[in-house]
Amino acid sequence: MSERLQALAMEKAAILAGDAERVAKQHADGKSTARERAAKLFDAGSFVEIDALRKDGNAVAGSGTVNGQAVYCFAQDFTSCGGAMTTAQAAKMLKTLNMARVTGSPIVALLDSAGIKLEEGMNALPAYAEILSAMARLSGVCPIITCVMGPCAGLAAMMTQLSDINIEVKKTGEIRLHTAQVMNSEKGRAKTAQQLFGAETMDAQGAVALTAENEDEAFALITSLIDLLPASNMEDAPLADGEDLNRLTVCDDPEEAAALMADLADGNQVIELYKGYGPAIHTALCRVGGRTVGLVANDHKVDNGRITSQDARKAARFVRLCDCFGLPVVSLVNTDGLAVPMTSHQGALLRGAAELIYAYAEATSPKVAIFTGDAVGAAYVAMGGKAIADVSYAWPTAVIAPLTSQAAVQTLDGDKLNAGESREALEAAYAKQHGAVNAAQAGVVDDVIEPKETRKYIIAALEVLANKHDVNLPKKHGNLPL
């Protein structure tokens, strides 16, 4: 038996080691192998592989712990047939997804593949269909994180969009709906990938939530996300020892959205998603008082915080992500309302704004709104209206109104302007009429607070709302205005 075990160990080691020449090429390209990536992701000695010896599997799959949290993972193996999708690889992926589902554990997918194995022909297409279907059904049940560490084109790229959060490694990862070869063959072109795709990156198009400079930074991001998110929708996000709950905030400038977000967060640490897309709104995960929170903040420096269709869709997706896993949403509102696009773009903005309102209204997780500056028109309704937020507070600088001061004076006070009254004085009177104190007296907000007390009020609100239990009306699902 000892001889047989020794022979088995040698045979398994030879199979798992893979082709030495291809492994060397992978390292030369600045990429780790699939097993090396699994070793980097999981706590030392915790990874248990499934179907390790399966022929044509072209992927490493299994489970382990990440900072003590059980996690399932599959990593495409580019050193084996370019990590090409096969029916065997799909079976390993599906097994991993199903195990995550029945155990209520997060899933991490490390993508690095040249595409479908053409020798399998049409058989590979149902394999992709099964994987994408399983991911769609698992959405909102267990967190799904995809990380693109190499080529990722065609149907594989769809996996990144069906995940909750995706990451692209800048130096080696490449998400493409079509490869350069396909685009050249379809359009009769003969151009390079750079000429075809241009300089605009996928994160600028809203297809990438996070980017990492290298694989090590990507694994650090994955670990941080797993620490912040619950294991499934049946659990609460893990509580951490927060810093001083009575710490005062320093930032009191409503124009400094990014600084305010960091100031509110424990340790001033936030993970901002979709940073290169929809710049008038920031969306970030962090902890506030030890609780995981989703922050949504208007950036008044970008066109006075006016919300475009991109901003609206970005924020809507983020709010729905938070609601999937019961994470509170804290909105820092400072915007002149919806953007004023060309007539040809108003339909897109209308749909985007409807998505934003729908996402906030449908969310049953705790919602807190802080009005730091302007909250004009639809922006107030969508992000912090009394029918939307559970608790809302205003800074003394807040102005909550149906129109901006400039538009209101132009629309309502034309006669006074013609009579020679000062536009500045009329705008100031309108702003005061719709200011924070009057808003509180009218019941539009719950209270007016000092900016330095903002973090304390948020923590107190989250503590009170920790046991919030609200459900939507019985239905198969709503008709999100996509």
Side-chain angles (χ1 to χ4, degrees), residues 372-451:
T372 63
D374 296 334
V376 177
Y380 166 80
V381 174
M383 300 180 66
K386 294 293 285 185
I388 297 292
D390 299 298
V391 179
S392 60
Y393 298 111
W395 283 9
T397 48
V399 175
I400 301 173
L403 294 171
T404 63
S405 298
Q406 296 88 338
V409 168
Q410 187 67 35
T411 303
L412 303 174
D413 296 326
D415 292 342
K416 294 180 180 178
L417 288 173
N418 293 333
E421 291 193 38
S422 166
R423 174 182 288 274
E424 289 75 14
L426 291 171
E427 289 179 0
Y430 180 85
K432 182 177 180 180
Q433 179 186 354
H434 295 84
V437 174
N438 286 341
Q441 289 178 331
V444 175
V445 296
D446 292 307
D447 200 356
V448 182
I449 64 173
E450 293 185 52

Side-chain angles (χ1 to χ4, degrees), residues 244-249 263-264 288-289 368 370 393 449-464:
D244 182 6
L245 302 183
N246 293 312
R247 173 172 69 80
L248 299 178
T249 49
D263 202 3
L264 295 174
V288 179
V368 178
I370 308 293
Y393 298 111
I449 64 173
E450 293 185 52
K452 66 180 181 180
E453 303 265 329
T454 303
R455 178 179 151 88
K456 292 171 59 176
Y457 272 89
I458 290 174
I459 292 173
L462 295 181
E463 184 68 26
V464 171

Side-chain angles (χ1 to χ4, degrees), residues 278-299:
I281 282 186
H282 299 279
T283 53
L285 291 171
C286 68
R287 279 197 172 93
V288 179
R291 299 181 187 276
T292 302
V293 169
L295 294 179
V296 181
N298 303 112
D299 193 333

Side-chain angles (χ1 to χ4, degrees), residues 34-45:
R35 284 189 177 80
E36 288 170 343
R37 287 167 176 165
K40 290 181 179 181
L41 172 64
F42 290 103
D43 298 336

Side-chain angles (χ1 to χ4, degrees), residues 212-293:
E213 292 295 331
N214 51 50
E215 290 191 8
D216 289 341
E217 185 176 314
F219 284 120
L221 282 171
I222 293 171
T223 301
S224 296
L225 291 169
I226 290 172
D227 285 342
L228 286 170
L229 296 171
S232 73
N233 64 348
M234 301 300 291
E235 298 184 22
D236 294 328
L239 283 171
D241 293 331
E243 58 182 288
D244 182 6
L245 302 183
N246 293 312
R247 173 172 69 80
L248 299 178
T249 49
V250 177
C251 181
D252 59 0
D253 185 352
E255 298 286 318
E256 298 295 337
L260 177 57
M261 291 168 69
D263 202 3
L264 295 174
D266 293 353
N268 304 124
Q269 297 297 312
V270 300
I271 300 179
E272 185 171 352
L273 307 183
Y274 302 102
K275 193 172 183 178
Y277 179 73
I281 282 186
H282 299 279
T283 53
L285 291 171
C286 68
R287 279 197 172 93
V288 179
R291 299 181 187 276
T292 302
V293 169

